[in-house]
Amino acid sequence: MVKIFSKDNNDKKLKPDKDDKGFIKKLWHGLSKTRSGFTGRLDRLFLGKKKINQELLEELEEILFTSDIGVAACRELLESIMEKIARKELNNPEQLKNLLKEQILLFLKTPPVEHYYPKKGEPLVIMVIGVNGVGKTTTIGKAARLFKEGGKKVMLVAADTFRAAAVEQLVIWGQRVGADVVKQGTGADSSAVVFDAISAALSRKNDVVLIDTAGRLHTKTNLMEELAKIKRVAGSKLQGAPHEVWLVLDATTGQNAISQAELFNKVIGVTDIILTKLDGTAKGGIVIGISQQLGIPVKFIGIGEKIEDLHPFDAEEFVEAIFY
Ligand SMILES: Nc1nc2c(ncn2[C@@H]2O[C@H](COP(=O)(O)OP(=O)(O)O)[C@@H](O)[C@H]2O)c(=O)[nH]1
Ligand SMILES: [Mg+2]
């Protein structure tokens, strides 16, 4: 089943701006730890080597397996290398490095997950999920700014209802970026908040609705059940909603992020991954593992705490930024 209604592709701000040199510099700077870790080790391995021999391959294997790209991605990389060596298509370390880059790029070019698009005149509803502290609320604030700059009328929905501070944090972002914020009292039923918010968005003619959710519940209700209910209720108010489900993952958690993604995707269904805190970690290789293992595209990467530190993900740009 193809779940596509109509596609609105004019959100230029949500696509990487290739001419923005400042951004490229920031990305380069933000990924410096990964560059000196994973890819730096690769570079030192290849430096000055003239031949591909057993020793080089063993060291390469070790670097790949101790990086954060995941076991499956490592195996695939090594298999394609061995295949090319057997066919005598790889003659020197430089070619080997280029092959690695090309393969990694292929992993990163994940096709979009099929999902509904809003009908004309209806808002794009995005549900943002993920465990506590990964950066959901911050990402919503940053993304709201990008949508606003693209000329959209944005609504933020405080469906992380248990903690007053969580609601307050979203209100502050709403004020900063100039977006409507829909909230109810602490402890309100999150699904009810979402239901009312979508009604309001339909009558106020919002273009984008970003739903902030809890990452941990302080009640006996199970988080996954709660999120599934929000999703159901959104769809009952507006067919196809939430059109997108963004899973926010903290890059500093490494492989743990992949297990989280598998669980959320199984239970809720995820259309896009947002990977935050890439600025503070050498584990940037996790982007590769996530794309390769989950088949869900990375939409944005977070490279800092400031409002402008959310960057639309571009596979080529990323590969160029992590390799020397
Ligand atoms: N360094 C860095 N910090 C981030 C990034 N994204 C979010 N944070 C910080 O992570 C912390 C938790 O963020 P928050 O949005 O409250 O997480 P939530 O619990 O998922 O809503 C805050 O201190 C944010 O400033 C990022 O890309 N880089
Ligand atoms: Mg939050």
Side-chain angles (χ1 to χ4, degrees):
M1 181 177 59
V2 180
K3 294 177 167 184
I4 293 175
F5 285 127
S6 69
K7 203 169 172 175
D8 174 13
N9 255 341
N10 54 15
D11 289 319
K12 286 209 192 69
K13 274 283 163 192
L14 300 186
K15 302 252 181 313
D17 182 356
K18 299 274 188 201
D19 299 326
D20 190 343
K21 294 282 183 294
F23 237 161
I24 304 282
K25 237 169 117 179
K26 226 169 158 212
L27 179 71
W28 177 262
H29 185 74
L31 292 172
S32 56
K33 287 195 179 152
T34 296
R35 204 164 45 246
S36 58
F38 168 44
T39 36
R41 286 174 72 199
L42 282 181
D43 232 63
R44 286 190 291 279
L45 171 67
F46 293 132
L47 195 74
K49 304 260 171 39
K50 297 264 180 297
K51 272 206 186 101
I52 301 175
N53 53 26
Q54 197 53 37
E55 195 193 330
L56 183 120
L57 288 173
E58 272 167 24
E59 270 182 63
L60 173 67
E61 192 173 334
E62 198 201 311
I63 293 172
L64 291 177
F65 276 103
T66 52
S67 72
D68 291 278
I69 68 171
V71 175
C74 282
R75 290 232 167 86
E76 240 189 280
L77 283 173
L78 289 168
E79 267 167 32
S80 67
I81 290 167
M82 296 319 278
E83 224 178 86
K84 293 235 160 158
I85 289 177
R87 283 196 262 132
K88 308 230 181 310
E89 286 170 13
L90 274 186
N91 301 309
N92 58 56
E94 190 59 33
Q95 284 177 355
L96 177 52
K97 188 179 164 187
N98 287 336
L99 174 71
L100 276 174
K101 260 172 107 165
E102 274 166 34
Q103 282 287 331
I104 286 174
L105 197 58
L106 279 182
F107 290 154
L108 292 176
K109 289 194 165 175
T110 317
V113 172
E114 268 183 12
H115 62 80
Y116 286 102
Y117 289 86
K119 291 183 196 138
K120 221 174 160 42
E122 288 179 354
L124 168 68
V125 179
I126 302 164
M127 183 172 163
V128 181
I129 61 175
V131 304
N132 247 14
V134 288
K136 291 181 295 299
T137 309
T138 309
T139 297
I140 287 175
K142 292 169 172 173
R145 169 181 165 263
L146 292 175
F147 280 118
K148 286 284 290 187
E149 286 184 352
K152 304 291 179 191
K153 188 168 189 244
V154 182
M155 173 186 282
L156 311 183
V157 185
D160 181 357
T161 53
F162 200 80
R163 295 174 307 129
V167 177
E168 194 46 39
Q169 194 189 353
L170 197 71
V171 169
I172 292 169
W173 276 109
Q175 286 164 350
R176 276 183 79 181
V177 302
D180 303 330
V181 180
V182 169
K183 57 169 183 162
Q184 287 178 15
T186 311
D189 175 28
S190 53
S191 302
V193 177
V194 169
F195 190 88
D196 291 350
I198 295 178
S199 306
L202 284 163
S203 61
R204 293 187 209 168
K205 306 235 171 305
N206 284 96
D207 302 300
V208 181
V209 176
L210 285 154
I211 303 170
D212 192 19
T213 64
R216 177 168 23 126
L217 293 179
H218 300 250
T219 55
K220 288 209 179 74
T221 336
N222 175 284
L223 175 65
M224 292 296 170
E225 279 170 23
E226 183 87 1
L227 294 175
K229 187 174 161 203
I230 292 179
K231 200 180 165 193
R232 246 185 352 259
V233 168
S236 73
K237 181 67 213 169
L238 177 66
Q239 199 202 356
H243 308 91
E244 296 179 8
V245 178
W246 293 2
L247 174 65
V248 182
L249 298 171
D250 175 344
T252 61
T253 59
Q255 289 300 305
N256 189 17
I258 297 190
S259 341
Q260 281 171 28
E262 278 169 342
L263 181 65
F264 277 102
N265 190 38
K266 198 171 120 208
V267 185
I268 312 295
V270 173
T271 63
D272 302 274
I273 302 275
I274 319 291
L275 204 64
T276 59
K277 310 189 195 181
L278 270 169
D279 51 306
T281 180
K283 297 177 196 251
I286 193 72
V287 180
I288 300 159
I290 284 174
S291 307
Q292 193 265 354
Q293 243 166 290
L294 300 163
I296 303 170
V298 175
K299 191 181 193 79
F300 291 108
I301 52 176
I303 50 170
E305 293 188 90
K306 296 209 196 76
I307 191 163
E308 67 274 13
D309 292 336
L310 188 71
H311 193 44
F313 180 74
D314 177 87
E316 265 111 12
E317 206 178 270
F318 183 82
V319 168
E320 285 311 317
I322 61 165
F323 280 93
Y324 286 88

